[in-house]
């Protein structure tokens, strides 16, 4: 009896061993999430940019799907990142405005993918104040991080880098892919740029890009904010009055090495001389500032494009591209002079919409475009579904994998809910929430009790609110009902979840 059972045990052991030895490598797709900060779709040639070319980023769209209506729930840096980790609106993940601290003890997509057997990593901008959780590897900028010579946090301590941050983050992503990755596991890599966030310091290779060209101005550069509620007039984010001397590179840039400073002085010295001689005022000065600002912004985008190209090339060279889903997006959209502005925050289209391109070889038809209303709220659900995992019930978005595969679900959302909180705060944009449907947008500035309603078909640039017009009374009533329905659905009753226990608080680290 004993003899027989031990033989049996041996057989079982042999079978088990055999099955492990012959087991196929885990074939689930890798997920490479390429993320930038403040990259508006107006500055991507795959979205029809009139101001620049982004050949490398365009590859993702040309070889995959471009989404023309991807929206964010709250158009500001930290909150968008928290939404993408949790699949929950700001009031439920607790990170409603920059300066909040992310509670890393809550459920996140990185933890769920890690538990599902994915190797997880994040390099670059994090901006959530507490240490990353759910990542096997992390190497992140401190706060916003500088454009040059960043000190970066790792679990082992601070690492001081010398060079241009966009290139350094890319080097770190490539180093992780080449040397730190477990080739037997699928990976989830968040490769996240600081660029092209303010104050738009170009890299050494891009300092002179656009020197000899005039960037076309947006049609709404000289918006006078009439026909809208008061917040549009009372913000502090105009090209005309709110760009600082530092933004415009009229003062020496700090934190550069001697060599970097020399390159800067060579590039910006002559540009400054030109300005001093001009003695501009009025519209001419606004136009000069716009050129100055837009060119620096686009130079930063150029570096992102080039560096993402390096990573795409690596995926091609190693064959990894075949089984890797590449996603490109930004934490929100951006005003490249539209409405006379820089920055983001509003529920107006330029900042409410964000770029999204997804490449998935063999699954997503190359060169396809979707106008489905997807959101950053849907990203973690998508990543989980790509990994074959169940999406937790308390995530509030929905995976759009089916849309990627070319099928539009009949019951896909027909409206999007938005809520912005950061007031008082930088740029003085009033708190607001609202709903956007295919054709209309209703915005409520609740602290001021002011409303706006836009007919996006007749007024795509959102220059004239029709809230008070009698012929829109029925539309207004429908939208108000839809807004309330969405507030109920997303459990937004105006209160914000406050997390008491934040043991993941970032510690001061020693340099390593
Ligand atoms: Ca941002």
């Amino acid at each position: 009896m004993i003899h027989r059972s031990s033989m049996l045990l041996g057989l079982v052991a042999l079978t088990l061993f055999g099955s492990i030895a012959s087991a196929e490598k885990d074939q689930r797709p890798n997920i490479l999430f390429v993320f930038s900060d403040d990259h508006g779709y107006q500055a991507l040639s795959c979205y029809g940019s009139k101001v620049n070319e982004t050949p490398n980023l365009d590859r993702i769209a040309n070889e995959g799907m471009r989404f023309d209506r991807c929206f964010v729930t709250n158009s500001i840096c930290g909150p968008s990142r928290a939404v993408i980790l949790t699949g929950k609106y700001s009031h439920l993940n607790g990170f409603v405005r920059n300066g909040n601290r992310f509670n890393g003890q809550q459920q996140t997509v990185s933890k769920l993918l890690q538990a599902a057997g994915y190797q997880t990593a994040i390099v670059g901008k994090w901006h959530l104040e507490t240490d990353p959780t759910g990542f096997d590897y992390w190497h992140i900028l401190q706060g916003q991080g500088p454009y040059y010579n960043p000190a970066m946090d790792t679990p082992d301590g601070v690492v001081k880098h010398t060079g241009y941050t966009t290139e350094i983050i890319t080097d770190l992503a490539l180093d992780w892919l080449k040397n730190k990755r477990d080739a037997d596991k699928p990976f989830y890599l968040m490769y996240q740029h600081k660029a092209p966030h303010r104050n738009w310091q170009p890299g050494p290779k891009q300092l002179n890009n656009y020197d000899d060209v005039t960037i076309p101005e947006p049609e709404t550069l000289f918006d006078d904010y009439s026909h809208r509620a008061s917040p549009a007039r009372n913000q502090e984010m105009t090209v005309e009055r709110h760009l600082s001397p530092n933004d415009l590179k009229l003062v020496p840039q700090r934190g550069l090495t001697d060599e970097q400073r020399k390159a800067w002085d060579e590039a910006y010295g002559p540009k400054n001389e030109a300005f001093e001689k001009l003695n501009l005022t009025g519209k001419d000065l606004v136009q000069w500032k716009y050129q100055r600002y837009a060119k620096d912004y686009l130079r930063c985008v150029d570096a992102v494009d080039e560096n993402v190209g390096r990573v795409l090339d690596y995926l091609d060279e190693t064959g990894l591209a075949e089984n890797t889903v590449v996603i490109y997006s930004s934490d929100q959209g951006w005003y490249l002079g539209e409405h006379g502005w820089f920055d983001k925050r509003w529920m107006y289209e330029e900042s409410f919409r964000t770029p999204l391109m997804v490449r998935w070889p063999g699954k997503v038809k190359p060169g396809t475009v979707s106008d489905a209303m997807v959101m950053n709220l849907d990203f973690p659900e998508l990543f989980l579904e790509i990994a074959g995992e169940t999406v937790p019930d308390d995530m509030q978005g929905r995976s759009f994998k089916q849309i990627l595969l070319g099928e539009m679900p009949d019951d896909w959302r027909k409206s999007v809910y938005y809520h912005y909180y950061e007031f008082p705060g930088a740029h003085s944009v009033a708190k607001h929430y609202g709903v956007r449907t295919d054709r209309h947008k209703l915005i409520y500035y609740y602290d001021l009790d002011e409303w706006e309603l836009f007919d996006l078909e007749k007024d795509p640039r959102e220059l004239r609110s029709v809230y008070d017009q009698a012929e829109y009374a029925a539309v207004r009533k429908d939208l108000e009902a839809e807004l309330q329905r969405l507030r109920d659905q997303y459990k937004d009753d105006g209160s914000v979840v406050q997390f008491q226990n934040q043991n993941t608080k970032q510690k001061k680290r020693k340099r390593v």
Side-chain angles (χ1 to χ4, degrees), residues 3 52 208 219 238 294 381 392:
H3 180 69
N52 68 337
N208 293 104
E219 289 177 41
T238 61
E381 293 84 345

Side-chain angles (χ1 to χ4, degrees), residues 209-250:
N209 292 7
Y210 307 100
D211 272 0
D212 303 324
V213 295
T214 302
I215 308 295
E217 290 170 5
E219 289 177 41
T220 55
L221 181 61
F222 293 100
D223 191 352
D224 63 3
Y225 317 116
S226 55
H227 309 292
R228 266 152 294 167
S230 68
R233 289 189 291 281
N234 295 333
Q235 42 62 41
E236 295 174 358
M237 52 194 273
T238 61
V239 171
E240 181 181 8
R241 287 176 292 128
H242 301 102
L243 288 169
S244 71
N246 189 40
D247 289 333
L248 295 167
K249 317 296 171 341
L250 298 173

